[in-house]
């Protein structure tokens, strides 16, 4: 759909000649995602649809305990340091953003009184200013009032390089000003097409100024509240044993009437995905279990137990492999995989091209993931308007062998290829769970037939996804040749998702390995396209620029996408969770109830 036709449809909505729903249907038919179509209407002065929450309880409390199982146990409770989804979800029980994303990709107010629009004066005509009105009467768990000072402080905290926050990409390059106690302005240096990033969703959870102001910058890791949160959320902190169990109690002064329904909340960590699914679907010990990285056939058999059901929603999540172009075995200035080094063989584009041909994506989908994912060659898959039409995948051991032959990699007596004394021998790392180990095995078998030897390494999930800067086995360290995991697209717009491919987000010792670019690879053209997308207001041109960023990394075969992942969880039959594929699993845990 070209810009002229799109603008005509928007004008029809504004004039009343076309309904909002009809506009979104037409946009979706033309390849645009519903959330993006909705955002376009808001940008052009059409009020956002109000999300209707299906919440039945008529009073807060009385629901007893809510028991949640995370087989990757949370290890910290500061959302600005949460590089793993488990830590983001755990933090979201206590901390809230100004707004979150519902299952349809609509913005929903949390600590904001309303969503900014042109109609209410929240969005400036030139696209450079967003004004947030804060909800009055909100209290922190210690009774102190939540104000604009807290919001401004979070910007200062996250944008300070010395803090080394995982969320820094959402707050760098902007200004945040207090207008009054309940109003803040976010000021962008140029028109901002996707403004709902700072203070929104998983990157937007707000911590209290009065408890963290003495721990901004270099002292950020010393704050007691990193492990004992005081938030505005529906549950107050009770106890936390990192890597094991987290408990909270209903916050009696929560700012939403009649919420939360449950009196206590427990997140139990550890075990594996299969045992977590069994504890909900078969034994009924828990109400909810997250991230069902379980073979689909296994889930189907468990569902027959009748105690729970599988929840599946579309998302932008991707299961993928990173090939390390830096040297993980040589230490420079106190860090391995330094950007000052080159990998002995994976820095060769021909080797990476051969590796991409050795991924049997169709078998991984068919025999392991089923309804949990779809084979893909693109890092971005949803919304569809941002998916590259040019990226295709192929599985061919013959072609991989020819590429390596032509590149001069000869088989030795042990069958492993080498060139100039450097063998094609790699450590392939991922977290421990059955689907990932089976995927590793499929890839290893194909690589063997091409003269590449893979040593398979499996790391306990709570360690692999830990934000512990002292741990050498975290996925952000990338102290191996290649690794595989799922990364979460936390909003329907992939701009922040794709900052994993920009040079200023490279994970290093200096930023405590919390930079989002874990691959360490960079390309000036990707940086240029990304920066251009940040100020491009034409939706089609902007999508093309973000697609280019995606294509540069995928065509370089540094990023090897495997599966476009649906978000899969399991819930007790009597639990009604507000579940979204575009936000944290716990984004609206206050509205969960038992039917």
């Amino acid at each position: 759909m070209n810009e002229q036709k799109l603008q005509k449809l928007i004008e029809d909505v504004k004039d009343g000649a076309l309904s909002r729903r009809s506009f979104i249907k037409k946009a979706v038919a033309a390849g645009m995602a519903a959330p993006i179509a909705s955002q376009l209407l808001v940008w052009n002065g059409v009020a956002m649809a109000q999300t209707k929450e299906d919440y039945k309880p008529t009073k807060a409390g009385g629901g007893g305990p809510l028991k949640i199982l995370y087989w990757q146990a949370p290890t910290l409770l500061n959302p600005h340091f949460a590089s793993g989804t488990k830590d983001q979800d755990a933090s979201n029980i206590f901390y809230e953003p100004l707004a979150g994303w519902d299952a349809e990709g609509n913005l929903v107010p949390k600590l904001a009184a309303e969503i900014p629009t042109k109609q209410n004066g929240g969005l400036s005509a030139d696209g450079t200013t967003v004004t947030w009105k804060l909800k009055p009467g909100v209290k922190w768990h210690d009774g102190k009032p939540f104000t604009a000072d807290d919001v401004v402080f979070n910007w200062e905290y996250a944008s300070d390089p010395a803090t080394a926050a995982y969320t820094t990409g959402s707050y760098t390059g902007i200004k945040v000003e207090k207008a009054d106690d309940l109003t803040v302005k976010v000021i962008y240096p140029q028109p901002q097409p996707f403004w709902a990033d700072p203070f929104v969703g998983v990157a937007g959870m707000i911590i209290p100024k009065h408890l963290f102001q003495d721990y901004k910058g270099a002292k950020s890791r010393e704050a007691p509240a990193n492990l004992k949160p005081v938030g505005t959320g529906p549950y107050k902190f009770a106890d936390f044993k990192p890597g094991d169990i987290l408990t909270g109690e209903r916050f009696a002064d929560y700012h939403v009437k009649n919420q939360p329904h449950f009196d206590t909340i427990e997140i139990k960590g550890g075990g594996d995905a299969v045992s977590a699914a069994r504890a909900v679907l078969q034994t009924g010990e828990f109400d909810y279990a997250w991230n069902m990285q379980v073979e689909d056939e296994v889930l189907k058999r468990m569902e027959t137990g009748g105690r729970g059901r599988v929840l599946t929603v579309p998302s932008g999540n991707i299961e993928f492999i990173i090939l390390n172009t830096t040297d993980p075995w040589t230490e420079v200035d106190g860090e391995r995989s330094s950007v000052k080094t080159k990998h002995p063989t994976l820095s060769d584009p021909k080797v990476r091209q051969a590796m991409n041909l050795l991924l049997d994506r169709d078998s991984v989908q068919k025999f392991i993931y089923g309804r949990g994912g779809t084979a893909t060659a693109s890092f971005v898959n949803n919304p569809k308007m941002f998916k590259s039409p040019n990226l295709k995948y192929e599985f061919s051991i013959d072609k991989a062998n020819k590429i390596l032959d032509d590149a001069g990699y000869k088989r030795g007596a042990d069958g492993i290829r080498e060139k100039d004394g450097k063998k094609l021998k790699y450590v392939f790392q991922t977290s421990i769970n059955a689907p990932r180990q089976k995927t590793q095995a499929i890839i290893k078998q194909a690589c063997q037939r091409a003269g590449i030897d893979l040593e398979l390494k499996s790391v306990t999930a709570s360690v692999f996804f830990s934000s512990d800067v002292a741990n050498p086995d975290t996925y952000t360290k990338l102290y191996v040749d290649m690794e595989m995991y799922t990364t979460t697209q936390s909003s329907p717009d992939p701009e922040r998702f794709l900052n994993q491919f920009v040079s200023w987000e490279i994970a290093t010792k200096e930023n405590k390995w919390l930079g989002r670019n874990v691959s360490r690879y960079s390309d000036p053209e990707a940086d240029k396209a990304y920066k251009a997308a940040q100020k491009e207001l034409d939706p089609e041109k902007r999508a093309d620029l973000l697609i280019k960023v995606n294509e540069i990394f995928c065509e370089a075969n540094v990023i090897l996408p495997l599966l476009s992942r649906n978000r899969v969880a399991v819930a007790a039959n009597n639990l009604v969770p507000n579940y979204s594929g575009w936000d944290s699993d716990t984004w609206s845990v206050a509205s969960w109830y038992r039917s």
Side-chain angles (χ1 to χ4, degrees):
M1 186 182 296
N2 62 42
E3 184 181 8
Q4 188 176 5
K5 185 175 181 182
L6 189 62
Q7 198 59 48
K8 172 65 169 62
L9 290 175
I10 291 171
E11 291 302 319
D12 286 347
V13 176
K14 294 170 78 172
D15 294 341
L18 184 70
S19 71
R20 180 191 181 90
R21 178 171 290 184
S22 295
F23 168 83
I24 291 174
K25 282 184 176 180
K26 287 177 181 290
V28 169
M32 187 179 294
I36 305 302
S38 178
Q39 286 295 104
L40 276 174
L41 290 177
V42 173
W43 187 260
N44 285 274
V46 180
M48 180 171 279
Q50 295 299 306
T51 300
K52 293 180 180 177
E53 209 169 64
D54 177 26
Y55 187 71
K56 298 291 195 300
T58 56
K59 68 179 182 69
L66 172 62
K67 300 182 70 175
I68 299 175
L69 194 52
Y70 269 57
W71 53 276
Q72 294 175 16
T75 53
L76 60 78
L77 298 172
N78 182 330
H80 289 293
F81 300 150
S83 60
T85 305
K86 61 189 177 57
D87 294 329
Q88 293 165 0
D89 288 8
S91 297
N92 217 166
I93 289 169
F94 308 105
Y95 295 116
E96 299 175 295
L98 296 186
W101 297 100
D102 72 6
E104 302 300 320
N106 293 309
L107 275 179
V108 180
K110 290 294 180 182
L111 293 175
E114 60 186 4
I115 299 300
T117 65
K118 286 189 176 180
Q119 289 174 318
N120 63 26
L123 301 180
S124 64
D126 65 358
T128 61
T129 304
V130 180
T131 301
W132 288 94
K133 295 286 187 182
L134 307 184
K135 193 173 184 180
V138 177
K139 294 179 182 178
W140 294 102
H141 293 157
D142 60 7
K144 296 188 182 301
F146 163 73
T147 72
D149 291 325
D150 295 301
V151 181
V152 174
F153 169 75
N154 274 255
W155 162 64
E156 295 170 345
Y157 181 91
S159 62
D160 184 341
T163 302
Y166 184 70
T167 55
T168 186
S170 297
Y171 297 94
T172 302
I174 63 173
K175 284 186 178 180
V176 180
E177 296 178 352
K178 172 184 174 181
D180 58 47
D181 282 349
L182 292 176
T183 309
V184 291
K185 285 187 177 181
V186 181
I187 303 165
Y188 294 93
Q190 69 270 324
Q192 183 66 19
F194 188 72
W195 51 267
D197 181 22
F199 310 116
V200 172
V202 296
M205 287 178 263
I206 296 173
I207 60 177
K209 177 181 179 180
H210 64 279
L211 293 180
F212 284 92
Q213 61 186 336
D214 293 335
Y215 299 95
K216 183 166 70 77
K219 294 178 66 180
S220 63
R221 295 313 192 276
E222 300 171 21
N226 286 341
L227 295 176
K228 295 181 178 180
V230 175
T232 59
Y235 297 97
K236 291 177 63 173
F237 175 80
D239 192 29
F240 181 40
K241 294 180 175 61
D244 182 13
I245 193 166
L246 169 66
T247 56
E249 301 168 350
R250 182 175 70 84
F251 179 34
D253 284 332
Y254 187 55
H255 56 86
V256 179
K257 186 179 180 181
N258 299 332
Q259 292 184 5
H261 170 64
F262 294 99
D263 301 302
T264 60
I265 189 168
E266 172 190 307
I267 291 184
K268 175 65 178 172
D272 55 55
V274 173
S275 61
R278 186 177 298 114
V280 174
L281 298 175
Q282 292 186 321
T283 69
E285 297 168 76
F286 286 84
D287 299 301
Y288 182 89
W290 155 93
N291 188 17
M292 287 298 96
Q293 188 93 4
V294 179
E295 293 164 78
D296 198 34
E297 286 303 312
V298 174
L299 287 177
K300 287 177 180 176
R301 288 198 300 271
M302 287 186 183
E303 275 185 294
T304 61
R307 290 180 177 269
R309 79 270 191 206
V310 175
L311 306 175
T312 304
V313 293
S315 76
N317 301 353
I318 182 77
E319 181 86 0
F320 70 111
I321 291 170
I322 295 174
L323 298 183
N324 194 351
T325 58
T326 64
D327 188 348
W329 311 113
T330 300
E331 186 173 298
V332 177
D333 298 329
E335 65 178 318
R336 289 153 50 190
S337 293
S338 166
V339 291
K340 298 174 183 176
T341 64
K342 280 178 60 176
H343 195 282
T345 56
L346 288 175
S347 56
D348 185 342
K350 292 296 183 183
V351 176
R352 301 198 303 268
Q353 183 183 2
M355 286 294 298
N356 193 34
L357 286 163
L358 295 170
L359 306 181
D360 189 357
R361 294 168 171 89
D362 287 334
S363 291
V364 171
Q365 177 192 334
K366 181 178 179 181
F367 298 112
I368 300 175
Y369 283 88
R371 59 187 157 166
T374 303
T376 185
S378 179
F379 190 75
V380 177
N381 294 276
N382 283 310
K384 297 299 182 188
M385 70 178 292
F386 294 105
K387 182 178 181 179
S388 168
N390 303 315
L391 295 171
K392 311 292 182 186
Y393 65 84
E394 180 183 8
F395 174 57
S396 176
I397 295 172
D398 290 341
K399 286 186 179 180
N401 271 309
K402 185 175 189 313
I403 288 168
L404 294 173
D405 284 340
D406 293 346
Y409 291 90
K410 307 299 182 186
R411 292 178 189 264
D414 56 3
I416 302 171
R417 291 181 183 270
E418 63 178 283
K419 179 181 176 181
D420 300 328
K422 298 169 184 174
K423 287 182 175 287
L424 300 189
K425 193 170 184 178
Y426 306 124
V427 175
F428 178 18
Q429 168 179 279
T430 190
S431 64
I432 294 176
N433 74 47
R436 288 202 170 119
Q437 270 66 77
K438 289 187 177 183
T439 301
Q440 279 184 310
I442 288 172
I443 295 170
K444 178 182 174 74
Q445 188 177 47
C447 285
Q448 284 176 329
R449 294 171 62 189
I452 299 172
D453 183 53
L454 297 186
E455 177 188 330
L456 304 184
K457 179 179 178 180
S458 302
V459 181
T460 302
S462 59
V463 172
F464 187 68
F465 294 107
S466 167
S467 304
D468 180 6
V469 296
N471 194 317
D473 289 326
T474 61
Y475 78 98
T476 60
K477 288 281 180 63
L478 190 61
Y479 280 1
V480 291
D481 303 291
M482 53 192 288
E483 69 180 4
M484 174 175 63
Y485 60 96
T486 285
T487 191
T488 303
Q489 185 177 327
S490 57
S491 88
D493 184 279
E495 182 183 304
R496 185 172 189 273
F497 188 59
L498 282 169
N499 75 0
Q500 296 173 78
F501 295 166
V502 296
S503 62
W504 55 91
E505 280 285 342
I506 288 175
T508 64
K509 179 184 177 183
E510 186 179 7
N511 59 31
K512 297 181 172 63
W513 295 278
L514 289 179
R516 284 172 54 80
N517 184 344
V518 175
S519 75
R520 278 74 158 165
Y521 186 79
S522 65
D523 187 303
E525 289 302 309
D527 286 352
K528 181 180 175 182
Y530 187 88
K531 288 179 177 178
Q534 288 183 302
K535 58 187 178 183
E536 179 56 68
L537 295 179
D538 181 317
E540 288 201 347
K541 291 178 182 176
R542 182 167 175 273
D544 288 343
L545 288 164
L546 293 175
I547 286 171
K548 182 178 180 181
V549 176
N550 178 22
E551 289 178 344
I552 286 171
F553 272 68
C554 293
E555 288 173 349
N557 296 307
V558 170
I559 299 295
L560 309 181
L562 292 173
L563 293 170
S564 172
R565 294 282 308 276
N566 289 324
R567 191 171 288 187
V568 183
V570 291
N573 285 328
N574 63 357
L575 182 70
V576 184
N578 192 339
Y579 190 52
S580 171
W582 299 113
D583 211 318
S584 158
D585 274 33
T586 54
W587 81 284
S588 192
V589 72
S591 67
W592 292 21
Y593 67 96
R594 205 181 302 284
S595 61

